[in-house]
Amino acid sequence: MNFQNRTVVLGVGGGIAAYKACELARLVVKGRGTIRVAMTRAATRFVQPLTFQAISGGLVLVDLFDPASEATYGHLSLARSADLLVVAPATADLVARLRAGMADDAVTTTALAVTCPVLLAPAMNTRMWRNPVVQENLAALRARGFHVVGPGAGELADGDVGEGRLAEPEEIAVAASRLLGNLDLAGRRVLVTAGPTREPIDPVRFISNPSSGKMGYAVAAVAARRGAEVTLVSGPTVLPDPAGVKVVRVETAEQMAKAVEAESAAMDLFVGAAAVSDYRPQRASASKIKKGTGEETLVLSRTPDILAGLGARWAGAKDGPVLVGFAAETEEVIARAREKLKAKRCDLVVANKVGGPGAGFGGDTNRVALVSTTELAEIEGPKEKVAEAILDWILPVLEGRRPKQG
Ligand code: PMT
C-alpha cells in the first residue's frame, strides 16, 4: 500500500483493540505516508501516547488544554493536515459522541474540524454492537458520509464470540488507501484480458467455458482506480464496463490475440486473466449443422497462445511489458503454475485452483497463490482484493522500468 505524500490522522478510542491501532500506524509509515495521532483520554489507559509518538515520529494530541500544543491550536492543525481521518477503534461511546457532534476530547474535536473523508473502524463487545442505539448512531454517521470498515467476527477479548472485533489493521489500511485514491499506478499503461472466448461450431453453437470475467474486470477496475491507463480486452460477459477503462470486446481467441497484439507494445503491464479456449473447431459451419442419425466428429485446431506469444516476444526485453498470467488448475496447482511461469516466460503466474467453492469461475471471491521464481504468496477473498494483491506484487517490478506513457 502506498500512502506517499498523504497524511492520515489516526483517532484512537479507548478500547482493548487500541493496541492494534499501533500496527495500523506502522502500515501507513511503511507505505511512506505521514501519520499523526490523536487519542482520547480513555485510549491512553490502553496504550501510552509515547508508543504512537515513536511510530509516527510526531507529538500525540491528547489534552485539548495542553498549553504547549494548543499554543499552535494543535487540534485544528491536526485537522487541517489530514487527507483522511481514521478512527480506530471506534468504541460505542466514541461513535455516540461523534454522532452527537461533541467536541470534548482530541478525537471528537479533530473529527468535527476535518473536511477530509472519515473512516470509522468500530470495535466493541458483540452485545453492545447489536444494540439498536449503536446501529442507529452508525447509520446516522454513514448517512452523513462517514465510511465504516468492519467490525469482524470471532472471539472477543472478553471471551464472547460474535461480531465486534476491530477489523485487522491490514484491512483498515486497504480501506484507507482506497479512500485516499491510491495512485501508485499513475503514468502506467495496463492491458488486461478477461472472460471466456467463444469458438464457433456453427452460427448457433460454440465451444466456451464458465468464465464470467469478474476476475479480469476486477484487475482492470482496481488498476484504473490506482491511476493506470487501462485497456481491457474482454470476451463475452454480462458485466458493465469498469469506470475509466477502455474496453475492447471480442468473441474468439483469434480476435483476442489480435486485439492484444495491437496494444501490447505500448503497455507497461499485461495481465492475462481470460480463460482463452485452447482449441477451436477447425471449420466453423456457415449454416446451422443439421441433426443427423449417427455420431458426429468435431475436428479441433489449436488457438494462438496469447500469453506465450507475449513471453516469446518480450521476456528479457528491457522495454517489454511485465507479464502476468493465470493458471486455472484442478490439481497440482502450484507445480503446474510453476511450469507455466517457465514455459510462457512470465514474471508472475496467479495459480487459481478451480472447481471448488469460493474460488475460480463465476463467484465474487477467489483463492489464489502468486507464483514467481522466488516467491509464493497465498491470497483469498473478494476478487478485488486478489486484484489489489496482484498489483501490489507488480509495483516494485514496474518501478525498475521506465513508463511507456508520454
Ligand atoms: O472470469 P471469472 O469467472 O472471474 O473466473 C476467473 C478465472 C478462473 C477465469 C481466472 O481467475 C483464471 O484463472 N484465468 C485463467 C484461465 C485459463 O485459461 O488458465 P490456463 O491455465 O488455461 O491458461 C494459462 C494462461 O495462459 C492464462 O493467463 C490464459 O489467459 C493464457 N492463455 C491460455 C490459452 C491461450 N490460448 N492463450 C492464453 O493467453
Side-chain angles (χ1 to χ4, degrees), residues 74-85:
H75 64 288
L76 293 180
S77 87
L78 209 57
R80 268 192 217 104
S81 70
D83 293 308
L84 177 71
L85 170 65

Side-chain angles (χ1 to χ4, degrees), residues 191 231-235 245-250 255-256 259 263:
L191 179 59
T231 303
L232 173 64
V233 180
S234 172
V245 171
K246 174 183 157 194
V247 181
V248 180
R249 299 227 174 230
V250 298
Q255 290 166 0
M256 188 172 273
E263 304 272 356

Side-chain angles (χ1 to χ4, degrees), residues 193-196 209-217 237 239 253 256 270-279 302-310 324-329 340 344 346 349-354 359-366 368 383:
T193 64
N209 61 65
S211 170
S212 62
K214 286 180 183 173
M215 188 64 247
Y217 277 58
T237 74
L239 302 176
M256 188 172 273
F270 171 80
V271 182
V276 187
S277 183
D278 288 317
Y279 290 92
R302 282 296 309 265
T303 57
D305 190 319
I306 301 166
L307 183 61
L310 291 176
V324 179
F326 274 67
E329 299 291 348
K340 281 181 186 163
K344 303 200 183 197
C346 309
V349 165
V350 183
N352 200 168
K353 185 161 169 52
V354 291
F361 294 108
D364 292 327
T365 59
N366 213 348
V368 305
K383 285 181 173 166

Side-chain angles (χ1 to χ4, degrees), residues 72-73 90 159 175 193 203 278 287 298 310 312 321 323 388 399:
T72 53
Y73 296 94
T193 64
D278 288 317
S287 54
L298 201 57
L310 291 176
L323 298 178
E388 294 274 8
E399 273 164 14

